[in-house]
Amino acid sequence: MFSNLAIDVALGLIFIYLLYSLLASVVQELVARIFNSRARLLTKGLRRMLEDDDHSEDLGWFGKFTFFNWFYELGWSVVYFFEPFRRSPFLKKFYTAPSIRNLGENSAAARPAYISPQIFSQTMVHLLRNSSRTRQALPKEQAGAKQTLPYQETGDQQTEQAPKLTDAQAIKAALTHNYLHLAPTVQEHLLQLFEDARHDVKAFRINMESWFNETMTRASGWYRKQTQTWLLCIGIGIAALFNVDSIAIARILMKDKNVRTEMVQLATSRAPAYTAITDTLIRKNVLHKDSAFYRTDTSLRVFVNDTSLIGVYAMLRNDAGDARNVLGISRACITDSSSGHKIMRCGYTHPFQQNGGLIFAGWCITALAISLGAPFWFDLLGKLVKFRTAAPPNDSTTTH
């Protein structure tokens, strides 16, 4: 067995970060469900695709600077939270299409969290095709069309009979005349995709699906950043609430051999469970059957739904009960008689927590560690335990 002070302290800290990362993951998942975060991120991705979502021109000269744009876009995020279809007429039409509307769970969660690329391309084709045929069915005065329609004679009477457009012709007409009032950049891009497909509807759908997949890959990155931001905020709250001061905890582990040994034993005994959970998360982090992008947040969903993982979490919390002075440094009141008089002191009474700046720095370190997520600490703990329990190299040499 290979052991030294630095490795044992690291194991103790990783064990603590693991526990609070699990707690933060539960809270983050609940927040994501309450605010329907995945559906909102999907709407954001579709807005980038189907609408003119560039607000930099609104700021005039200030729009040239990323600093001002960042705050302005943050304001628009708040607006879109309450009005998701503001200044987005086509996006609203897209979501009201039957193929999309029926994917919503209920009226409270009307927008779906996942849309397959096939459904996306199918809905786009339906909207484009129907807009042309609807325009064709209107009277010539309303449609604004200046075309000579063929006549069919019936006795002494002549009646107009409009030729029925094929799917390719209907899509071409809808894009050329912009019947759906698409943003100019979106109209131009769809026209280019249609030309690349050589006016073949199946090839056009494939092109749109590729476009959708590429955008949703970026959206998965946005969701990752959003999740880490939430975990960071939740981590700050957890660190302050439970007084999880990483700096003070590291000093305790370095100074108190009994606590350090206990934490190492707990972490080492649970290493097999950590490895199994990590493997499960990796296996389940695959392409979701009804999603166009990788479920990078799968670990959070698995944690909430997988009863075995919840059982492991409960087991860890129970095992950690004997080390509460490390998991969350006590802020209980104590009696100080060092000055000759008994004085009741409350708050940060631990000897390693006498500097407010260091306490806040320790909280920030804990929050940053929690933002990395439970799977990261599962994996790192498994590797470190394996390294610690490995037999040291045999340096003895045989002399003759």
Side-chain angles (χ1 to χ4, degrees):
M1 178 181 291
F2 181 75
S3 173
N4 63 23
L5 179 63
I7 292 178
D8 290 350
V9 170
L11 274 174
L13 286 172
I14 291 172
F15 180 80
I16 293 168
Y17 294 152
L18 171 61
L19 290 177
Y20 287 110
S21 293
L22 288 171
L23 178 60
S25 296
V26 173
V27 176
Q28 189 277 332
E29 177 65 15
L30 291 175
V31 170
R33 291 188 178 187
I34 291 172
F35 292 107
N36 206 8
S37 296
R38 295 182 183 90
R40 293 182 185 278
L41 259 294
L42 177 60
T43 303
K44 179 180 178 180
L46 291 172
R47 186 182 298 111
R48 293 292 296 170
M49 292 179 65
L50 305 176
E51 296 287 353
D52 188 4
D53 196 36
D54 185 8
H55 303 115
S56 60
E57 295 182 359
D58 298 347
L59 295 175
W61 180 79
F62 292 99
K64 300 178 182 179
F65 301 95
T66 304
F67 177 80
F68 296 106
N69 270 321
W70 188 87
F71 283 101
Y72 191 64
E73 291 292 342
L74 184 63
W76 271 105
S77 298
V78 175
V79 172
Y80 286 138
F81 182 88
F82 295 100
E83 297 183 71
F85 303 125
R86 183 180 176 85
R87 292 170 57 174
S88 305
F90 179 72
L91 185 62
K92 183 176 182 179
K93 187 186 294 290
F94 178 86
Y95 268 97
T96 55
S99 55
I100 302 299
R101 185 182 67 248
N102 295 337
L103 297 178
E105 182 177 356
N106 49 45
S107 58
R111 285 177 290 160
Y114 310 105
I115 297 176
S116 70
Q118 293 76 24
I119 292 296
F120 169 77
S121 64
Q122 180 189 70
T123 304
M124 290 294 295
V125 167
H126 289 176
L127 290 173
L128 292 169
R129 183 178 62 196
N130 292 341
S131 67
S132 286
R133 291 179 177 171
T134 301
R135 183 61 62 97
Q136 184 188 34
L138 291 175
K140 292 168 62 176
E141 298 80 15
Q142 296 182 27
K146 295 183 180 179
Q147 56 182 355
T148 303
L149 298 177
Y151 288 92
Q152 181 181 15
E153 294 190 6
T154 306
D156 298 331
Q157 204 174 18
Q158 290 183 334
T159 59
E160 288 184 335
Q161 184 182 16
K164 185 176 180 180
L165 299 177
T166 64
D167 287 352
Q169 291 172 336
I171 292 172
K172 177 67 174 179
L175 291 174
T176 303
H177 300 291
N178 199 10
Y179 292 151
L180 292 173
H181 305 290
L182 298 166
T185 53
V186 178
Q187 177 194 10
E188 178 62 26
H189 184 65
L190 288 173
L191 271 171
Q192 293 298 329
L193 292 180
F194 191 66
E195 293 297 328
D196 291 343
R198 299 182 182 276
H199 297 195
D200 181 73
V201 177
K202 289 184 179 180
F204 179 53
R205 286 189 58 177
I206 292 174
N207 289 345
M208 286 195 293
E209 289 166 12
S210 299
W211 178 35
F212 179 78
N213 282 329
E214 191 66 26
T215 304
M216 291 301 109
T217 300
R218 303 296 182 272
S220 67
W222 305 340
Y223 190 82
R224 267 201 310 274
K225 290 193 295 184
Q226 185 187 76
T227 299
Q228 285 188 316
T229 301
W230 273 110
L231 287 176
L232 183 62
C233 296
I234 294 170
I236 285 287
I238 288 175
L241 180 64
F242 297 105
N243 194 19
V244 190
D245 180 354
S246 290
I247 296 175
I249 290 172
R251 294 173 68 184
I252 292 173
L253 291 174
M254 286 188 290
K255 296 291 184 181
D256 194 329
K257 183 177 179 181
N258 293 330
V259 174
R260 183 172 67 248
T261 301
E262 181 180 357
M263 296 293 288
V264 170
Q265 289 176 348
L266 284 172
T268 304
S269 64
R270 301 307 178 198
Y274 302 155
T275 303
I277 294 170
T278 303
D279 292 342
T280 301
L281 298 179
I282 293 175
R283 285 198 304 269
K284 291 190 177 183
N285 190 16
V286 296
L287 191 66
H288 197 270
K289 63 181 181 180
D290 61 347
S291 174
F293 57 92
Y294 283 95
R295 287 291 308 281
T296 55
D297 62 312
T298 302
S299 58
L300 305 182
R301 182 174 182 178
V302 171
F303 172 71
V304 172
N305 294 340
D306 192 339
T307 55
S308 64
L309 186 52
I310 295 176
V312 171
Y313 173 67
M315 174 183 63
L316 292 174
R317 292 293 295 171
N318 291 332
D319 289 343
D322 295 334
R324 290 186 184 277
N325 60 324
V326 177
L327 291 179
I329 300 175
S330 175
R331 284 180 284 202
C333 296
I334 63 172
T335 302
D336 185 7
S337 58
S338 58
S339 60
H341 302 282
K342 291 184 178 181
I343 302 174
M344 185 69 69
R345 295 175 55 196
C346 299
Y348 303 102
T349 56
H350 196 280
F352 293 151
Q353 284 197 306
Q354 300 303 309
N355 186 311
L358 285 180
I359 293 174
F360 182 73
W363 290 353
C364 291
I365 293 172
T366 301
L368 289 171
I370 289 175
S371 69
L372 296 176
F376 174 83
W377 297 114
F378 277 133
D379 190 41
L380 184 59
L381 186 65
K383 292 179 180 178
L384 195 56
V385 168
K386 184 178 180 180
F387 173 75
R388 187 181 183 280
T389 55
N394 187 6
D395 295 334
S396 60
T397 56
T398 304
T399 57
H400 297 282

